Amino acid sequence: NFALVQEGTTRPFSEGKFEVHQKYLDIQFMIAGTEYMEYAPLTELAPDVPYDEQKDVAFLNGKGSPLLIKPGMFYIVYPEDGHKPCVHADIPRHYKKVVVKVRIDKLIHGVM
Protein backbone atom coordinates (compact mmCIF):
# COMPACT_ATOMS: atom_id res chain seq x y z
CA ASN A 1 0.00 0.00 0.00
CA PHE A 2 1.18 3.50 -0.76
CA ALA A 3 -0.05 7.02 -1.47
CA LEU A 4 0.97 9.70 -3.91
CA VAL A 5 0.05 13.31 -4.45
CA GLN A 6 -1.07 14.19 -7.96
CA GLU A 7 -1.35 17.76 -9.17
CA GLY A 8 -2.08 19.09 -12.63
CA THR A 9 -4.58 20.48 -15.09
CA THR A 10 -7.60 18.58 -16.33
CA ARG A 11 -8.02 17.62 -19.99
CA PRO A 12 -11.19 17.38 -22.11
CA PHE A 13 -13.34 14.24 -21.75
CA SER A 14 -12.48 13.36 -25.35
CA GLU A 15 -8.74 13.18 -24.56
CA GLY A 16 -9.10 10.95 -21.50
CA LYS A 17 -9.09 7.16 -21.40
CA PHE A 18 -10.79 4.87 -18.95
CA GLU A 19 -8.36 2.94 -16.78
CA VAL A 20 -8.66 -0.18 -14.65
CA HIS A 21 -6.32 -1.81 -12.16
CA GLN A 22 -6.06 -5.45 -11.08
CA LYS A 23 -3.58 -5.44 -8.16
CA TYR A 24 -4.60 -2.22 -6.40
CA LEU A 25 -7.79 -0.35 -5.73
CA ASP A 26 -7.68 3.45 -5.76
CA ILE A 27 -8.94 5.80 -3.08
CA GLN A 28 -8.75 9.26 -4.64
CA PHE A 29 -9.19 12.25 -2.31
CA MET A 30 -9.44 15.79 -3.74
CA ILE A 31 -7.39 18.34 -1.78
CA ALA A 32 -7.79 21.44 -3.98
CA GLY A 33 -9.39 22.37 -7.28
CA THR A 34 -11.87 20.19 -9.14
CA GLU A 35 -11.98 17.42 -11.70
CA TYR A 36 -14.59 15.33 -13.36
CA MET A 37 -14.25 11.58 -13.05
CA GLU A 38 -16.19 9.49 -15.52
CA TYR A 39 -17.27 6.03 -14.29
CA ALA A 40 -18.36 2.92 -16.21
CA PRO A 41 -18.43 -0.77 -15.29
CA LEU A 42 -15.59 -2.70 -16.90
CA THR A 43 -18.15 -4.86 -18.74
CA GLU A 44 -19.39 -1.80 -20.67
CA LEU A 45 -15.95 -0.71 -21.95
CA ALA A 46 -13.88 -1.79 -24.96
CA PRO A 47 -10.16 -2.58 -24.61
CA ASP A 48 -7.72 -0.02 -26.02
CA VAL A 49 -4.29 -0.62 -24.44
CA PRO A 50 -3.76 -4.11 -22.94
CA TYR A 51 -3.08 -4.63 -19.25
CA ASP A 52 0.48 -3.77 -18.20
CA GLU A 53 1.34 -5.89 -15.15
CA GLN A 54 4.32 -3.69 -14.20
CA LYS A 55 2.19 -0.52 -14.12
CA ASP A 56 -1.02 -2.31 -13.02
CA VAL A 57 -3.16 -0.54 -15.60
CA ALA A 58 -5.16 -1.19 -18.75
CA PHE A 59 -6.80 1.55 -20.80
CA LEU A 60 -10.26 1.31 -22.32
CA ASN A 61 -12.75 3.26 -24.43
CA GLY A 62 -16.44 3.85 -23.92
CA LYS A 63 -19.02 6.11 -22.36
CA GLY A 64 -19.80 6.45 -18.68
CA SER A 65 -21.36 8.69 -16.09
CA PRO A 66 -19.49 11.89 -15.17
CA LEU A 67 -19.13 12.95 -11.56
CA LEU A 68 -17.79 16.33 -10.40
CA ILE A 69 -15.17 15.84 -7.66
CA LYS A 70 -14.66 18.86 -5.36
CA PRO A 71 -12.27 19.47 -2.45
CA GLY A 72 -13.02 17.17 0.48
CA MET A 73 -14.66 14.52 -1.71
CA PHE A 74 -13.21 11.09 -2.40
CA TYR A 75 -14.03 8.04 -4.47
CA ILE A 76 -12.94 4.41 -4.47
CA VAL A 77 -12.45 2.34 -7.61
CA TYR A 78 -12.19 -1.45 -7.63
CA PRO A 79 -10.89 -3.72 -10.43
CA GLU A 80 -14.36 -3.93 -12.00
CA ASP A 81 -14.64 -0.11 -12.10
CA GLY A 82 -13.52 1.75 -15.19
CA HIS A 83 -12.64 5.32 -14.31
CA LYS A 84 -11.52 8.29 -16.37
CA PRO A 85 -9.95 10.77 -13.94
CA CYS A 86 -8.66 14.32 -14.41
CA VAL A 87 -11.07 15.52 -17.10
CA HIS A 88 -13.24 18.63 -17.51
CA ALA A 89 -16.54 19.50 -19.13
CA ASP A 90 -15.89 23.08 -20.17
CA ILE A 91 -12.52 24.68 -19.34
CA PRO A 92 -9.27 23.24 -17.92
CA ARG A 93 -9.17 23.21 -14.15
CA HIS A 94 -6.33 22.82 -11.66
CA TYR A 95 -6.52 19.90 -9.24
CA LYS A 96 -4.47 18.47 -6.39
CA LYS A 97 -5.36 15.11 -4.89
CA VAL A 98 -4.02 12.19 -2.92
CA VAL A 99 -4.28 8.76 -4.52
CA VAL A 100 -4.03 5.89 -2.06
CA LYS A 101 -3.24 2.52 -3.66
CA VAL A 102 -4.42 -0.48 -1.61
CA ARG A 103 -3.38 -4.00 -2.59
CA ILE A 104 -6.44 -6.09 -3.36
CA ASP A 105 -4.94 -9.23 -1.81
CA LYS A 106 -4.49 -7.39 1.51
CA LEU A 107 -8.18 -6.55 1.94
CA ILE A 108 -10.02 -8.39 4.70
CA HIS A 109 -13.38 -8.36 2.92
CA GLY A 110 -12.04 -9.47 -0.47
CA VAL A 111 -13.07 -8.18 -3.86
CA MET A 112 -15.32 -9.51 -6.64
Side-chain angles (χ1 to χ4, degrees):
N1 302 332
F2 61 96
L4 34 109
V5 175
Q6 292 182 349
E7 187 169 10
T9 303
T10 58
R11 59 192 181 277
F13 276 99
S14 61
E15 292 179 16
K17 295 274 186 198
F18 283 92
E19 56 185 70
V20 292
H21 312 291
Q22 292 180 10
K23 295 180 189 175
Y24 292 88
L25 64 80
D26 281 4
I27 303 170
Q28 300 200 18
F29 176 78
M30 188 62 64
I31 298 170
T34 61
E35 71 171 353
Y36 272 91
M37 182 277 291
E38 189 172 359
Y39 166 83
L42 178 59
T43 56
E44 296 178 11
L45 299 171
D48 183 48
V49 178
Y51 179 71
D52 181 328
E53 192 169 342
Q54 286 286 91
K55 296 179 181 177
D56 186 39
V57 68
F59 293 98
L60 306 106
N61 292 314
K63 188 83 173 124
S65 299
L67 186 67
L68 178 61
I69 309 299
K70 298 177 183 179
M73 295 175 71
F74 74 94
Y75 60 93
I76 301 172
V77 288
Y78 287 86
E80 63 271 16
D81 298 328
H83 60 290
K84 184 191 296 187
C86 311
V87 292
H88 63 261
D90 48 10
I91 60 171
R93 310 231 180 232
H94 176 265
Y95 67 89
K96 184 175 185 179
K97 62 184 175 177
V98 175
V99 179
V100 178
K101 305 292 259 180
V102 179
R103 280 191 55 121
I104 297 297
D105 62 355
K106 301 296 182 190
L107 295 175
I108 293 171
H109 69 279
V111 174
M112 298 197 286

